[in-house]
Amino acid sequence: MFIKCRRLAAFTLLECLVALVVISGGLLLFQAMSQYVSQQVVFLTQDKEEDWLIFAQQLQAEFSESQLDHVSGDKVYLKKSGQDLAISLSKSGDIRKTNAQGKGYQPMLFDVSSFKVSQEGQRVWIILQQKRGPERRLCYDF
């Protein structure tokens, strides 16, 4: 007549709550990581067009306010209001404006893999390649 109480193997309420917390934490972590990956993909595929346009405008403004001294060793030497300036590619891969001795730090464009400068009379040709972008050419006639 009496039914024996048997111990059944089952989840307790506390175990269910822990399992739900672990599952929801895993889902939140997965969502955060997928958002991070999508942001990185957008950043890596971003075109360097805007950086190039800003650099070209800065360079043209600098050239318009200066006089060409000479070009040598992929460096453009300028004279501007009594100062000797140089624009060249640094060892860290950015184009910098410095004084003629290479002192000073005014970066103009980052992530540059190659930078070539040539002079034909009073005309300066600049050819550069960014790490994730096409080859760019700029011509300025002093």
Side-chain angles (χ1 to χ4, degrees):
M1 293 237 194
F2 293 105
I3 301 177
K4 284 187 171 182
C5 290
R6 290 188 254 170
R7 289 263 246 190
L8 295 175
F11 278 135
T12 63
L13 183 59
L14 183 61
E15 290 171 331
C16 284
L17 290 174
V18 169
L20 287 174
V21 167
V22 168
I23 290 171
S24 66
L27 290 175
L28 287 173
L29 181 66
F30 180 75
Q31 179 187 12
M33 292 302 290
S34 64
Q35 285 178 348
Y36 175 75
V37 167
S38 68
Q39 288 173 351
Q40 290 298 317
V41 167
V42 167
F43 174 74
L44 291 175
T45 58
Q46 180 183 17
D47 191 15
K48 296 291 185 176
E49 188 73 28
E50 185 176 329
D51 294 340
W52 164 252
L53 291 174
I54 292 171
F55 168 72
Q57 288 174 350
Q58 286 178 343
L59 197 61
Q60 287 180 351
E62 195 66 44
F63 284 168
S64 68
E65 298 171 356
S66 306
Q67 293 178 347
L68 178 65
D69 188 12
H70 67 281
V71 172
S72 67
D74 289 332
K75 284 187 178 182
V76 179
Y77 292 94
L78 305 170
K79 289 188 179 191
K80 179 180 178 180
S81 63
Q83 293 181 346
D84 293 334
L85 301 175
I87 296 175
S88 63
L89 180 66
S90 71
K91 293 178 185 175
S92 61
D94 59 350
I95 296 177
R96 295 181 183 173
K97 180 177 81 169
T98 61
N99 66 5
Q101 291 78 30
K103 295 185 179 181
Y105 176 72
Q106 293 181 357
M108 298 177 80
L109 185 64
F110 294 100
D111 294 331
V112 177
S113 58
S114 70
F115 181 72
K116 294 179 178 60
V117 181
S118 61
Q119 178 182 4
E120 298 172 3
Q122 288 294 311
R123 183 174 289 166
V124 174
W125 289 90
I126 296 176
I127 302 170
L128 65 87
Q129 174 76 39
Q130 286 183 284
K131 290 183 182 174
R132 290 185 313 264
E135 181 179 272
R136 309 283 187 168
R137 296 173 183 260
L138 183 96
C139 176
Y140 190 84
D141 196 6
F142 281 89

